[in-house]
Amino acid sequence: MLKIIHSADWQLGKPFGRFATDVRNALAEARLDAIDRLGETAATVGAGHIVVAGDVFDNVEPGDRIVMQALSRMERAPVTWWLMPGNHDHARAGGLWSRVRAKAPASVRIVDVPEPVEMEEGAWLLPAPLEHRKTTNDPTAAMVDMATPPGALRIGLAHGSITEFGASGESSNIIPPDRAKSAGLDYLALGDWHGYLTVGDRTAYSGTPEIDRFGREEPGGCIGVDVRSGETPEFKRIETGRYRWLDRRWNVASIDQLDREISDLRFEARLSDVLLSLKLTGVTSLADRVAMFAAIEDRLAHEVRHLELATEELIAQPMAEDVARIDVQGALADATATLRARIEGSGPDAAIAAAALERLYIEALRFDAEAVR
Amino acid sequence: MIIKSLEVANFRKFRDPLRIEGFTDGLNIVVEPNETGKSTLLEALRAAFFIRYSAKTELVRSYVPIGDDVAPRVSVGFHVRGEPWTLEKQFMKSPSVRLAGSSGRKESDAAEETLQELLGFERGNNRGSDLETRGPLGMLWVEQATALAVESPNRIVRDTVRGVLESEVGAVTGGRRFDAIRSNVEVAYSALRTPTTGKSRGDLASAEVRVAAATEARQAAEANFREYESTLGELETAKSRLKILERDLVDPEVSAQRKKLEADLNTAETAALRSSAAEAQLGRADEVVKSAALRIDRLDGAEQRVATAESLVEEAQSKREEVQSKLDTTSNEEKSQRQALEAAREVSGKADAELHAARERSRVFATAAGARRSIEARKALAGLEERERELEGESARGIGGDDLDLVAKLELAAIQARARFEAGVVKVEVELSEGASLRIDGEAADAGSVDVFKATRFEMGDAGGIIVRPPEGASLTIEADLAAAEGERDAVLKRLGIKSHSDGIALNERAAAAARELIALRKQIAAMCPGDPSIALAPGADALRAYVASLGEVLTDVRVPTDDIDALQTAVTDAKLREASVSGRREDAREALSKAERDKAKADADLAGAIRESDAASENLQNVLIAGGRDDLEAALQKAQRDRAAKLDASESAREGSSAFDADAIRRRLENIDRATKRAGEERLELTAAIATLESAILREGTVGPAGRVAETRDEEEAAIFACERLKQEADTLDMLRKALAHAAEEASRRFLAPVTARAGRYIQRLLPGCDLSFSDELELAGVSRAGIDEACGGLSRGTQEQLAILTRLAFADLLLEDGAPISLILDDPLVYSDDARLETMTDILQDAAKRMQVILLTCRSKAFRHVDANRIFLK
């Protein structure tokens, strides 16, 4: 039996450029921290090997800084790392992997040619590295003909989609779901899908150790696998991720509803590790809308690591009180009327008019607040 | 408010107290000439109401008449809301104020305060400059200068008007709240865009700059990455090419092919060698055949030559014999001709000798005759020569022209000298009586005349002596001169051998005659010596003399010869002719002989040559025959020909064998293979170098992470665009909001000011039909619009401005009146710039207004307002 840790899709060097600098740095750091965590996990479960099924790096040519950071972290863990090029960091003559190989410590092994390699006695790794971003060929086809000594464990390592995913039929790097069986593999470690997914009893996607985009609710992780000769392997998912990328769509009509949603969220996750993509929908009064924004901006936005707020679908229906709040008569009332007419006219500038009205409302509130003070 | 009376004393021009009474409720026109102080009256009213009694400002000091030290005093009687009031104020000295009304009297500050309350103004600064505090009256008491300006009413008026408007219109602009919000919006907007031009600034501008920079960075990163990718591509291409090359370099097929080609080449070269050897043998066989044939030809030639030579010898011999006989004949003929010639020559020689002798004799005779003639001529010549000599002597005695001239000159000089002498000399003529002796200076003399040129003593006998003394000095020199001249003349005459000049001329004439005769004589001598060729005598006397001298004394006596020379001559000629003819014949014979001898020699030579050729031919034939007889030779030829045919066959087959392999083609193919291999080797080197270069470039570029840069810059660009869009959206939002607010403000203002506009409009419609008014927030008349075209006030004529200024005041006055404020309109010298029509309209309007309020017009132009129905007050 061989204990290994199966990981994939590290996507090191992903820039996260649209985030604020501190968030960007935190996310980049978290990806590197994931390596440490994988090392610790291996030590915990007693695995001597960590296989990485492609996309170690986010792009084909990351800078040396990223490469060195990754390698130095790997070097610290007392395991052997098996890194394989995926579609993001596919192997090219003279490219990234030559650099990595030149700098890698002995414990880091790079499998960028489709040839079986002995991991330790009686255990062979059958890699299917990618040489292009997209290949229509099945990269694992060669595994069938890869000869290993009789009785040795055969562990496949590949990067790509299982045929089942490809709804459109245009997926690249397609792997047949029965590859483990057809190639006589004891375990097929796959990468590319950023979530945890098993295909049959010998094939699995480990997912990324640290989530890197919205749309994936569970935290990042890896798979601890006990590969046994002739038997189905035993594997279990182990969480390694730090940040949660949560997508929320809240239909809120009032500030109270929003408060409820926020307290639910607070209960669900540690907000300081949450990146929240929040979309507000519904119809609300101007007063509530403004109050909600205030609540979000003054509190929630600071609590979470990062907030992306979409409010286009939270329609402000200015109520009589809202309008009265601005002014019941005189020039302000006139301006309000003008803007409302534009909103209702729903011309091309209706959205701007809505924003302008909201701004007027806010300015009026601000003035009143200052006047009180 | 109705002003009833006004009294001033010690106030500027008005030192003496002046009281004006009789103001009515309606329109009052105070008429006074210029400089009488109507403006001072308005000033006094102002002083009374607005300036504190206790003030000592410059303004207040100016109230004191110039040069006086008195207390200016003003008292006004007026009604407010029907209640009568009296106000008395004294400035500077014991200043005081007293306000008396129906409710009692008040003094000092209390009086001032009550006044302010009553008339609705505030305490001002006493300098007369703080117009804002003066309330309605401040606005409505219009002095000359300010009447022209369209200005906003003072604060109190504004506030009052606003109050009135607010109650009347029931709408508010929002006031401070609106202003603050609007200002906040403007501030927020102007942080992003320039309010006037809408140009980006602040955060928005920097966001746009960020987008531009991000886009540029992204493009640069992409370009860099593309370059990197292409480098990678090149590397891959280079590597695969190298792989192919290396495979090609060790291709076993190529080396097998090379080996086979080398074997083929070997075979081909051997075959070619064999072929060329066969060809050489064939060539040799050809040569053998050719030499065999040649040998037979040579035999033929030798035999032929022998035959020809023999026939030639025969021919030469017969020819020689023929020539020999001809030679003999010719020789005989020549011999006989020679003998004939000798005979003829003998005859000729004899005749010749005879002729010669005869001629000699003739010559001797002729010579002797000549000599005799010469001697005779000589003798004749001697006489002539005698005469010639004489003539020569005579002609030579002539004197030269120069000498003759000299003689003449000297003679003349001597005569002149004598004349001078005789003039300077005392001529003493002595006539002696018979027998008397004369002694001169002691010496006896007999001369009858004596020239005395020195003290000379004449003694005649014993009778004593006379001493004659010539004049002192010259006499001696003159004598000397005379002597010299005569001496010189005599010397010349002596040299020339003549006695005098005339003697010289005669001599010359004789010499010339002799010379002429000499010429004739010499011609005669020449004619006598013509020369004689027979005795070789040249012409001339000298030749004759020389010839005769050579003859000697004795002349031989010669007889005349008798020979017939002509006959002799004829005989000689005949003999010569005969000789010549014989000589010609003999020459012919000799010629013929010589030719015959030449023919003979040639025939001899021909014969010898023929014999030599015949001998050589025979010898040649013998030599040829040594190589073999004709049969042998022919047999050898046949053999050689057979041998050649065999060689030809061999050569043909060898050539066929060698043409099966093209050695050159094989060599070319081998060369191609070698060249390709060499080229591949070079290419491998080049590729290896290129790969190294590319790899190092990739290594260098890769460390920067070109793809990572692209991803980063793309994200950054996206973020920058997002941020910029948000700011733009905000700016757009703010822009819409500020425009909405501006529009609302305008609308509100228009609505708010409607009552003012309407009131003023009523008047203005009468003045400027079809004209609309607009007021600013400060209630200032902002402008008028005529036929939809806006005009700012500043652009209007001065007259119109003044009229508008009055009318807007009137409008405000109406409003204030309605509000119950005490109103009084005073115009100081108004409507100066108005034309008649306007003036009339304006006075109509003022008359109308006077129905609602007291109007006081101060003017110096009584004529201008003559048509106005009003209460007129004249100042005295």
Side-chain angles (χ1 to χ4, degrees):
Chain A
M1 186 193 79
L2 180 70
K3 268 185 186 296
I4 61 167
I5 295 290
H6 165 196
S7 180
D9 301 295
W10 292 0
Q11 310 283 150
L12 296 173
K14 190 163 180 158
F16 300 111
R18 65 198 169 100
F19 297 88
T21 316
D22 59 332
V23 179
R24 193 187 309 166
N25 292 344
L27 293 175
E29 199 61 24
R31 305 207 76 68
L32 290 166
D33 288 347
I35 301 174
D36 293 338
R37 229 157 301 128
L38 286 169
E40 288 158 16
T41 307
T44 310
V45 303
H49 300 274
I50 298 176
V51 294
V52 186
D55 286 359
V56 176
F57 297 100
D58 185 55
N59 57 63
V60 280
E61 292 301 338
D64 261 9
R65 195 182 147 67
I66 298 289
V67 173
M68 283 315 297
Q69 284 272 333
L71 289 174
S72 70
R73 283 169 192 258
M74 282 184 252
E75 192 175 10
R76 280 208 296 266
V79 292
T80 305
W81 302 79
W82 300 86
L83 309 182
M84 187 189 74
N87 61 331
H88 274 263
D89 54 356
H90 53 271
R92 304 188 295 179
L96 163 68
W97 292 104
S98 312
R99 264 196 295 146
V100 177
R101 183 174 274 118
K103 296 183 164 82
S107 62
V108 176
R109 306 283 299 273
I110 291 145
V111 282
D112 55 351
V113 284
E115 283 163 13
V117 53
E118 190 171 24
M119 297 171 79
E120 60 178 65
E121 201 179 340
W124 287 76
L125 186 65
L126 281 53
L130 294 184
E131 291 188 344
H132 299 280
R133 182 166 271 275
K134 284 185 175 179
T135 42
T136 42
N137 302 344
D138 168 15
T140 61
M143 288 181 185
V144 178
D145 297 327
M146 287 184 190
T148 51
L153 288 174
R154 285 163 70 87
I155 299 164
L157 188 63
H159 187 89
S161 311
I162 288 288
T163 324
E164 290 167 4
F165 302 164
S168 64
E170 282 179 15
S171 274
S172 47
N173 317 334
I174 293 168
I175 300 163
D178 63 343
R179 177 57 73 208
K181 193 179 169 203
S182 61
L185 302 176
D186 295 295
Y187 181 69
L188 176 54
L190 292 178
D192 196 26
W193 186 248
H194 282 214
Y196 171 72
L197 183 74
T198 58
V199 183
D201 54 3
R202 290 169 189 262
T203 305
Y205 285 93
S206 66
T208 177
E210 181 69 43
I211 301 297
D212 61 343
R213 67 183 85 154
F214 287 110
R216 213 160 281 291
E217 296 280 304
E218 77 270 30
C222 62
I223 302 177
V225 194
D226 294 349
V227 191
R228 303 154 206 268
S229 184
E231 288 178 43
T232 52
E234 200 170 290
F235 46 86
K236 67 166 190 288
R237 177 178 153 78
I238 304 161
E239 267 187 25
T240 54
R242 172 172 178 188
Y243 290 111
R244 304 280 302 275
W245 295 64
L246 303 181
D247 246 328
R248 290 294 179 271
R249 183 187 177 91
W250 292 343
N251 192 316
V252 284
S254 68
I255 180 76
D256 300 340
Q257 286 176 344
L258 180 76
D259 284 343
R260 266 199 301 283
E261 293 283 9
I262 292 176
S263 65
D264 285 355
L265 181 69
R266 212 171 270 138
F267 182 74
E268 183 186 339
R270 211 165 73 106
L271 288 189
S272 59
D273 286 341
V274 165
L275 292 94
L276 180 61
S277 171
L278 178 58
K279 180 174 260 184
L280 296 180
T281 64
V283 178
T284 173
S285 73
L286 205 47
D288 272 329
R289 191 177 138 101
V290 170
M292 281 191 248
F293 286 0
I296 288 169
E297 274 169 23
D298 295 348
R299 181 133 186 230
L300 183 61
H302 298 313
E303 280 183 278
V304 295
R305 172 63 65 170
H306 172 77
L307 174 67
E308 273 178 32
L309 183 60
T311 61
E312 297 81 17
E313 289 177 32
L314 182 67
I315 309 298
Q317 195 70 269
M319 304 293 157
E321 310 93 82
D322 297 335
V323 175
R325 206 52 201 280
I326 296 171
D327 213 340
V328 285
Q329 58 175 8
L332 287 174
D334 285 359
T336 309
T338 308
L339 294 173
R340 285 185 72 184
R342 288 212 185 161
I343 296 166
E344 273 148 34
S346 57
D349 55 357
I352 300 175
L357 181 58
E358 193 175 327
R359 181 66 182 253
L360 179 57
Y361 182 81
I362 292 164
E363 290 293 341
L365 289 190
R366 187 178 298 162
F367 178 83
D368 294 345
E370 273 167 17
V372 167
R373 219 183 299 144
Chain B
M1 178 196 190
I2 312 291
I3 292 168
K4 285 292 184 182
S5 65
L6 170 67
E7 188 178 341
V8 292
N10 295 330
F11 199 92
R12 294 197 179 157
K13 282 186 179 148
F14 302 105
R15 288 163 205 264
D16 300 327
L18 171 72
R19 185 173 173 81
I20 307 169
E21 290 182 297
F23 290 105
T24 63
D25 291 4
L27 180 59
N28 300 271
I29 298 179
V30 180
V31 184
E32 52 178 344
N34 271 334
E35 298 301 311
T36 45
K38 72 183 153 47
S39 296
T40 311
L41 290 180
L42 185 54
E43 190 62 49
L45 270 178
R46 286 209 170 112
F49 285 97
F50 301 130
I51 306 299
R52 288 178 69 80
Y53 71 102
S54 55
K56 296 276 192 321
T57 61
E58 205 171 319
L59 177 68
V60 175
R61 284 201 296 279
S62 78
Y63 296 159
V64 181
I66 296 162
D68 282 4
D69 183 18
V70 290
R73 192 155 49 78
V74 186
S75 65
V76 188
F78 60 96
H79 287 191
V80 172
R81 294 184 197 95
E83 262 189 66
W85 294 87
T86 340
L87 171 67
E88 285 173 33
K89 250 185 200 176
Q90 182 164 326
F91 295 97
M92 299 301 290
K93 286 193 161 178
S94 359
S96 67
V97 60
R98 193 176 300 126
L99 179 67
S102 55
S103 55
R105 294 164 70 100
K106 284 190 175 151
E107 292 194 3
S108 62
D109 287 353
E112 297 278 17
E113 276 161 28
T114 308
L115 194 61
Q116 285 164 16
E117 204 177 310
L118 188 65
L119 296 177
F121 63 93
E122 293 169 4
R123 184 176 166 171
N125 62 5
N126 293 330
R127 284 191 299 275
S129 57
D130 191 6
L131 301 176
E132 290 280 315
T133 60
R134 290 188 174 175
L137 296 180
M139 176 185 74
L140 295 172
W141 293 356
V142 187
E143 57 195 85
Q144 213 170 344
T146 51
L148 287 172
V150 179
E151 54 189 17
S152 65
N154 63 53
R155 175 170 53 76
I156 295 169
V157 174
R158 286 201 305 272
D159 288 351
T160 315
V161 168
R162 279 213 179 94
V164 173
L165 290 175
E166 274 169 21
S167 63
E168 188 173 323
V169 178
V172 278
T173 56
R176 214 162 62 76
R177 188 157 176 270
F178 177 85
D179 291 344
I181 289 172
R182 192 176 170 192
S183 135
N184 284 344
V185 170
E186 284 295 335
V187 166
Y189 181 72
S190 63
L192 297 176
R193 280 189 190 145
T194 317
T196 45
T197 59
K199 221 175 119 187
S200 302
R201 67 200 273 188
D203 288 351
L204 181 55
S206 32
E208 282 170 357
V209 167
R210 183 183 159 201
V211 169
T215 304
E216 200 179 312
R218 191 254 306 155
Q219 285 165 348
E222 279 175 355
N224 188 40
F225 184 54
R226 272 198 301 278
E227 204 174 298
Y228 179 79
E229 289 283 278
S230 77
T231 312
L232 270 185
E234 279 169 39
L235 177 64
E236 205 165 333
T237 315
K239 276 190 170 164
S240 59
R241 271 182 63 200
L242 182 63
K243 210 179 280 173
I244 291 166
L245 261 179
E246 279 174 344
R247 208 170 52 218
D248 285 355
L249 277 172
V250 295
D251 190 353
E253 233 176 77
V254 174
S255 63
Q257 193 186 11
R258 200 181 185 290
K259 232 170 251 169
K260 185 180 174 296
L261 282 173
E262 273 173 353
D264 285 355
L265 180 64
N266 210 9
T267 316
E269 279 172 347
T270 314
L273 215 62
R274 202 177 294 137
S275 166
S276 65
E279 239 163 74
Q281 280 177 0
L282 174 62
R284 263 206 308 284
D286 273 346
E287 288 303 315
V288 169
V289 169
K290 252 183 237 161
S291 65
L294 210 65
R295 231 171 271 146
I296 289 171
D297 285 352
R298 211 158 63 209
L299 180 60
D300 287 349
E303 282 173 356
Q304 182 69 40
R305 189 179 161 193
V306 167
T308 311
E310 278 169 358
S311 78
L312 272 178
V313 167
E314 268 170 39
E315 206 173 301
Q317 264 167 350
S318 72
K319 176 86 183 168
R320 186 181 169 275
E321 278 158 19
E322 186 185 323
V323 169
Q324 183 67 54
S325 73
K326 199 169 181 183
L327 177 65
D328 292 347
T329 321
T330 321
S331 181
N332 290 341
E333 173 67 15
E334 198 268 346
K335 211 176 278 169
S336 68
Q337 286 299 335
R338 198 176 5 175
Q339 282 161 359
L341 181 60
E342 274 163 17
R345 270 183 190 154
E346 207 170 310
V347 172
S348 170
K350 217 177 197 168
D352 219 18
E354 276 167 21
L355 180 60
H356 195 71
R359 274 195 181 142
E360 183 60 27
R361 279 187 299 275
S362 166
R363 188 196 61 80
V364 167
F365 176 72
T367 304
R372 249 187 317 274
R373 274 194 313 273
S374 297
I375 289 163
E376 275 161 26
R378 179 74 184 85
K379 278 173 189 158
L381 188 60
L384 287 177
E385 277 174 348
E386 182 68 23
R387 177 65 188 151
E388 186 188 13
R389 270 189 300 276
E390 275 168 27
L391 284 174
E392 271 173 359
E394 206 159 331
S395 74
R397 238 172 272 141
I399 298 165
D402 290 349
D403 285 340
L404 213 53
D405 288 349
L406 183 64
V407 170
K409 208 172 93 189
L410 292 173
E411 273 182 357
L412 185 62
I415 290 163
Q416 283 167 347
R418 174 147 298 273
R420 275 192 309 275
F421 173 74
E422 280 172 4
V425 162
V426 178
K427 198 164 237 351
V428 179
E429 288 182 358
V430 182
E431 285 174 14
L432 285 174
S433 326
E434 208 64 45
S437 66
L438 179 65
R439 276 208 298 271
I440 300 168
D441 283 346
E443 283 182 29
D446 58 355
S449 173
V450 174
D451 289 341
V452 176
F453 47 83
K454 62 181 182 183
T456 306
R457 186 182 172 85
F458 289 84
E459 287 170 271
M460 263 170 267
D462 310 335
I466 301 163
I467 297 171
V468 178
R469 288 185 201 273
E472 290 289 323
S475 50
L476 283 176
T477 325
I478 293 168
E479 192 191 9
D481 284 351
L482 176 65
E486 283 178 350
E488 202 172 346
R489 179 197 63 194
D490 293 346
V492 169
L493 287 175
K494 196 178 171 192
R495 176 168 64 82
L496 294 175
I498 52 177
K499 286 185 189 83
S500 68
H501 182 250
S502 52
D503 189 23
I505 287 171
L507 183 66
N508 269 8
E509 275 168 8
R510 275 196 306 277
R516 280 191 299 275
E517 194 183 342
L518 185 62
I519 291 167
L521 181 68
R522 277 180 183 154
K523 276 181 183 159
Q524 193 183 348
I525 290 169
M528 279 177 69
C529 308
D532 189 348
S534 62
I535 52 174
L537 174 60
D542 293 343
L544 180 63
R545 272 194 297 276
Y547 179 71
V548 172
S550 72
L551 285 179
E553 296 298 313
V554 187
L555 279 176
T556 47
D557 196 15
V558 180
R559 274 184 303 147
V560 178
T562 58
D563 304 314
D564 183 358
I565 289 180
D566 285 347
L568 287 172
Q569 181 70 49
T570 307
V572 166
T573 305
D574 287 350
K576 290 277 182 206
L577 281 173
R578 214 164 32 249
E579 187 195 337
S581 139
V582 173
S583 171
R585 273 198 301 277
R586 193 242 155 182
E587 201 58 33
D588 263 1
R590 210 166 56 83
E591 207 46 43
L593 175 61
S594 151
K595 186 174 174 292
E597 276 170 354
R598 276 201 306 278
D599 286 349
K600 165 85 173 17
K602 185 174 176 291
D604 282 351
D606 283 353
L607 177 61
I611 289 165
R612 262 200 313 282
E613 169 62 18
S614 173
D615 290 352
S618 307
E619 198 180 330
N620 183 38
L621 181 60
Q622 287 306 310
N623 285 343
V624 169
L625 284 172
I626 286 168
R630 183 168 290 273
D631 292 347
D632 292 348
L633 289 177
E634 275 175 357
L637 175 59
Q638 273 167 15
K639 183 176 173 288
Q641 275 168 340
R642 276 197 306 275
D643 190 36
R644 185 188 169 277
K647 286 288 183 334
L648 183 64
D649 285 350
S651 165
E652 284 297 320
S653 71
R655 194 180 298 136
E656 268 166 34
S658 78
S659 70
F661 292 97
D662 185 350
D664 282 347
I666 293 166
R667 226 170 272 127
R668 271 199 300 277
R669 286 182 62 192
L670 271 172
E671 271 168 22
N672 284 345
I673 287 171
D674 288 348
R675 201 176 300 124
T677 309
K678 185 163 172 258
R679 182 72 207 111
E682 284 166 7
E683 225 169 291
R684 180 167 61 176
L685 275 180
E686 283 164 17
L687 276 174
T688 310
I691 286 167
T693 312
L694 288 169
E695 272 175 348
S696 75
I698 287 162
L699 206 62
R700 190 177 61 241
E701 289 298 318
T703 55
V704 187
R709 276 295 296 156
V710 170
E712 279 166 26
T713 51
R714 271 188 193 147
D715 272 12
E716 163 61 14
E717 188 186 19
E718 222 167 84
I721 289 171
F722 183 72
C724 187
E725 282 305 316
R726 281 190 67 151
L727 282 172
K728 261 187 204 157
Q729 219 167 2
E730 192 182 345
D732 289 346
T733 303
L734 284 166
D735 194 30
M736 181 179 282
L737 181 53
R738 69 193 268 272
K739 279 176 181 155
L741 288 172
H743 181 70
E746 244 167 62
E747 272 301 304
S749 160
R750 190 172 304 132
R751 210 177 322 133
F752 180 69
L753 291 168
V756 180
T757 317
R759 282 177 179 83
R762 270 209 301 276
Y763 300 123
I764 284 162
Q765 282 299 323
R766 291 173 66 176
L767 191 72
L768 305 165
C771 217
D772 287 331
L773 296 179
S774 62
F775 287 89
S776 75
D777 286 351
E778 297 297 296
L779 297 179
E780 186 185 338
L781 179 62
V784 297
S785 73
R786 275 188 273 198
I789 296 164
D790 291 328
E791 276 182 78
C793 272
L796 299 169
S797 75
R798 295 185 80 181
T800 307
Q801 283 196 40
E802 187 195 12
Q803 290 146 22
L804 289 175
I806 292 169
L807 293 180
T808 52
R809 280 179 165 89
L810 207 51
F812 286 125
D814 279 344
L815 217 85
L816 293 167
L817 191 65
E818 282 164 28
D819 192 40
I823 295 303
S824 163
L825 179 62
I826 303 179
L827 300 171
D828 182 7
D829 212 359
L831 305 171
V832 176
Y833 298 101
S834 300
D835 62 25
D836 290 350
R838 286 273 178 89
L839 185 68
E840 208 165 306
T841 311
M842 286 299 290
T843 50
D844 284 354
I845 290 168
L846 286 173
Q847 261 178 314
D848 260 9
K851 289 172 187 161
R852 302 187 293 278
M853 63 188 87
Q854 185 189 37
V855 177
I856 299 172
L857 258 170
L858 303 169
T859 182
C860 54
R861 298 178 300 154
S862 63
K863 197 180 155 197
F865 296 96
R866 201 166 285 157
H867 66 283
V868 181
D869 179 19
N871 172 39
R872 287 191 163 68
I873 297 167
F874 295 92
L875 289 188
K876 287 138 208 139

